[in-house]
Amino acid sequence: MGAPDDISRSLWLTALYRLFVAALLLWLGALAPGDPGFVPASPGVYLFGASSYLAVALVLVLLARQPRGADDKLPNQQVIGGTLVDVAAIGLIMVATGGVQTGLGLLLIPAVAAAATMTLGRISLLLAAVATLTVLITELGIGPAMPWPFEPAPTQAGLLGATLFAAVLLTWRMAQRAGHSEAKVERQEADLANLAELNAQIIARMGAGVIAVDPEGNIRSINEAARRLLPPRAGLTLRDLSPQLDALLERWRLEGGQSASRQLRGDAEQTELEVRLARLGVYGEQGTLLILENAAEIKRRAHAAKLQSIGRLTASIAHEIRNPLGAISHSAQLLAESDLDSADQRLLEIIQKQSRRVDGVIRNVLGLSSGRNAERELLPLQDRLERFAEDFCGAMQIPSTSLHISVHPRDSDVLFDPSHLNQVLWNLCMNARSHGGHDRPDSGPIVLRGGAGQIRQGVSLDVIDLGPGIDPEQQEDLFEPFASKAPGGTGLGLYISRLICENNGAALEYVQQPQGGCFRILFAPSDQAPSDTWVKEPRLAADKPG
């Protein structure tokens, strides 16, 4: 049996067919009397059977149009009742016309076959048996007893009965297969609908923008992420939303349309994008799928991955360094208790001071990799640079004139973590000595020049050396980790220095100049610090008035 809707539809079509057959039989026997091709042996009985058949067929048509619920059993009863009406009416008409020799018994085949499509197999076989029994009784029993001429044809009656059973079995089997196929198709349609809904939900919630366009550039599908990445314009074509993206798509098609990634430059309206393009067969051979990602977000993720790798590296290095560093520091403390001359005592102070500096560097890098915020203070730039110069020159055993400090105005203040600033300056000055030619006794000084209002109306600090500078092609990867081409270099010093500056709200950049190299720190405005999270570092006593 099929679904309720299918049975109702089949019942309606069967009722219409029954009405047509009844009307045709009535027309042949009553409205066209004397037709040499069709003359009933008993016109009265024939007319009664045909008219009664037509009346019942009309009632069954009306009943077939009544709306019913899914659990209504009346359609099944109508199928059985209608088939029995067919069998009885056609059997009576066969008696009135002379038996199966007239060929009217063939009308029973569509009747029982239709019942087989709407009922269970057992009921269908029962209806076929009733129809066969009716044919045999009318042909061998009732027909010969009638007062009009009647020639029995048992062979034809038997063949008709066998045909009825064969029609029921074949139709029921075909209906069963059709039902299974229909159920399979419905399941596949449901699966496809669920899959389409799942894909739509996934695409809608993707962080990347997804756009599907047809060969004419019409947008067939676009998710919310793509709308956020494109300019806020209305339109149904890619050209309407983003002329730049449409031009990029056209260039990609002219190049052959192979799967590729393209960079879309940003402007005042358009965010810089990373665009991946691929052919899309749904909308034709030239249909295209575009996947948009924010280039800044990609860079941020790459930066985060590098930072994570740096964190793992520094954690491993810190573990290995702190053990011997602790031993050095402890040995220096024991040595300080001995009777040493002033020169040895000076060297011992350098060992202890540099041990503390190394430990501070390790803590700073570990805090940076873990995302800990900097402990910023408002520092007087002149005082801080003089303290650094004293520490640096003392540790490197170089004259104090190796660093030249110039701050204008002298009361310029910067917002920075003191230990962080010391580490950045140490890295930059060590680079100047290693690559700027300041490691020779006859070289000029490294210049530390800064102050407020000189660059971009903020506080800046330039670290200037007298070396050959950096080639323009090398400047692009200057602050990338592990990008150093210098012998023995790790490529981490400038990278960590920039991270430290960013963690303090500042910026570190390289400034091209005619001679020498210049690294510039652009400090954050001092008014960015909340009043309850920073303190102003006191100036050196020697610089205080009076």
Side-chain angles (χ1 to χ4, degrees):
M1 292 181 64
D5 291 341
D6 296 336
I7 293 178
S8 297
R9 186 165 52 251
S10 299
L11 186 62
W12 163 247
L13 295 176
T14 303
L16 290 180
Y17 168 76
R18 181 182 296 111
L19 183 64
F20 169 75
V21 171
L24 180 62
L25 291 175
L26 182 62
W27 180 79
L28 289 175
L31 301 181
D35 187 348
F38 185 81
V39 179
S42 175
V45 176
Y46 182 91
L47 183 61
F48 172 75
S51 58
S52 301
Y53 191 26
L54 181 62
V56 177
L58 183 60
V59 173
L60 292 176
V61 167
L62 297 177
L63 291 176
R65 296 300 298 168
Q66 297 297 320
R68 300 176 183 88
D71 56 348
D72 194 351
K73 297 182 179 179
L74 189 58
N76 193 40
Q77 298 173 358
Q78 288 185 20
V79 172
I80 298 173
T83 305
L84 294 177
V85 169
D86 293 334
V87 172
I90 294 174
L92 181 60
I93 291 174
M94 287 173 56
V95 172
T97 56
V100 295
Q101 296 182 5
T102 60
L104 293 177
L106 297 176
L107 294 175
L108 292 173
I109 297 176
V112 296
T117 62
M118 295 179 284
T119 58
L120 297 174
R122 294 189 299 271
I123 298 178
S124 302
L125 291 175
L126 177 62
L127 293 175
V130 171
T132 302
L133 186 61
T134 300
V135 170
L136 293 175
I137 292 175
T138 56
E139 190 69 19
L140 300 179
I142 300 177
M146 293 295 105
W148 53 81
F150 191 96
E151 296 182 2
T155 302
Q156 295 183 15
L159 291 175
L160 178 59
T163 303
L164 292 174
F165 275 100
V168 166
L169 291 174
L170 181 61
T171 304
W172 178 74
R173 184 60 178 170
M174 292 178 62
Q176 192 178 40
R177 285 200 169 191
H180 291 163
S181 299
E182 184 178 3
K184 185 177 180 180
V185 170
E186 289 178 353
R187 287 195 301 270
Q188 291 177 346
E189 289 178 351
D191 291 341
L192 290 176
N194 293 335
L195 183 60
E197 179 66 19
L198 177 61
N199 290 336
Q201 294 292 336
I202 293 175
I203 292 175
R205 287 164 172 77
M206 284 180 62
V210 179
I211 306 177
V213 297
D214 62 13
E216 287 73 32
N218 299 314
I219 296 176
R220 296 295 185 178
S221 177
I222 180 170
N223 66 350
E224 187 62 30
R227 293 193 180 276
R228 289 194 300 267
L229 293 172
L230 296 179
R233 298 173 181 167
L236 300 178
T237 66
L238 192 61
R239 183 181 297 274
D240 295 335
L241 294 186
S242 176
Q244 283 184 282
L245 190 58
D246 183 70
L248 185 146
L249 174 60
E250 291 300 324
R251 290 196 301 271
W252 175 76
R253 287 174 174 171
L254 292 176
E255 293 171 1
Q258 300 299 321
S259 297
S261 180
R262 297 286 189 274
Q263 197 79 14
L264 183 66
R265 294 185 177 275
D267 54 23
E269 287 187 325
Q270 178 65 65
T271 305
E272 184 179 0
L273 299 177
E274 183 81 16
V275 184
R276 284 176 287 170
L277 304 99
R279 291 179 180 272
L280 191 62
V282 176
Y283 305 113
E285 294 184 358
Q286 299 302 320
T288 310
L289 179 68
L290 298 93
I291 300 178
L292 316 179
E293 289 190 89
N294 191 328
E297 180 64 18
I298 295 176
K299 294 177 182 177
R300 187 198 65 78
R301 290 198 297 265
H303 180 77
K306 291 178 181 178
L307 186 61
Q308 187 178 17
S309 65
I310 294 296
R312 291 194 296 265
L313 176 63
T314 52
S316 177
I317 293 176
H319 177 73
E320 298 297 328
I321 290 179
R322 274 180 166 170
N323 289 333
L325 182 63
I328 294 173
S329 179
H330 182 66
S331 298
Q333 292 175 4
L334 295 177
L335 190 60
E337 299 175 0
S338 303
D339 186 13
L340 302 175
D341 57 26
S342 59
D344 291 339
Q345 191 69 32
R346 176 61 179 166
L347 293 177
L348 184 59
E349 290 176 358
I350 293 175
I351 293 174
Q352 292 177 326
K353 196 168 189 178
Q354 293 307 310
S355 296
R356 289 193 296 270
R357 190 185 75 82
V358 172
D359 186 64
V361 169
I362 292 174
R363 287 198 306 270
N364 289 340
V365 175
L366 287 175
L368 186 66
S369 62
S370 64
R372 188 173 67 238
N373 293 329
E375 298 177 359
R376 298 191 292 175
E377 301 178 10
L378 197 60
L379 309 174
L381 184 58
Q382 177 76 28
D383 299 347
R384 177 52 54 179
L385 293 180
E386 290 178 356
R387 292 185 187 183
F388 167 75
E390 181 182 356
D391 293 341
F392 184 79
C393 293
M396 301 301 298
Q397 297 292 297
I398 57 178
S400 59
T401 56
S402 298
L403 295 181
H404 176 71
I405 299 173
S406 174
V407 177
H408 299 284
R410 286 181 60 86
D411 60 351
S412 299
D413 295 325
V414 296
L415 188 63
F416 220 92
D417 186 307
S419 63
H420 286 181
L421 181 58
N422 192 70
Q423 182 175 347
V424 172
L425 291 175
W426 195 284
N427 285 337
L428 296 179
C429 290
M430 285 298 297
N431 283 340
R433 282 184 56 81
S434 301
H435 310 297
H438 291 277
D439 53 350
R440 299 189 303 271
D442 58 343
S443 63
I446 301 171
V447 178
L448 304 180
R449 183 182 64 195
Q454 299 183 20
I455 305 296
R456 303 179 191 174
Q457 304 301 317
V459 182
S460 63
L461 175 63
D462 292 344
V463 180
I464 305 171
D465 61 62
L466 300 178
I470 300 175
D471 295 335
E473 57 269 16
Q474 296 180 358
Q475 294 178 17
E476 183 176 352
D477 298 329
L478 188 59
F479 294 97
E480 291 298 317
F482 312 113
S484 175
K485 295 180 174 60
T490 62
L492 292 177
L494 290 176
Y495 176 70
I496 293 176
S497 297
R498 170 173 274 189
L499 289 181
I500 290 175
C501 289
E502 291 175 351
N503 196 31
N504 283 270
L508 176 63
E509 59 185 27
Y510 179 78
V511 181
Q512 186 72 27
Q513 55 183 15
Q515 291 183 346
C518 175
F519 286 92
R520 175 172 295 161
I521 302 174
L522 298 172
F523 295 97
S526 59
D527 56 2
Q528 286 186 359
S531 59
D532 59 345
T533 61
W534 62 273
V535 295
K536 184 178 178 69
E537 184 183 77
R539 300 181 184 276
L540 290 176
D543 292 330
K544 292 182 180 180

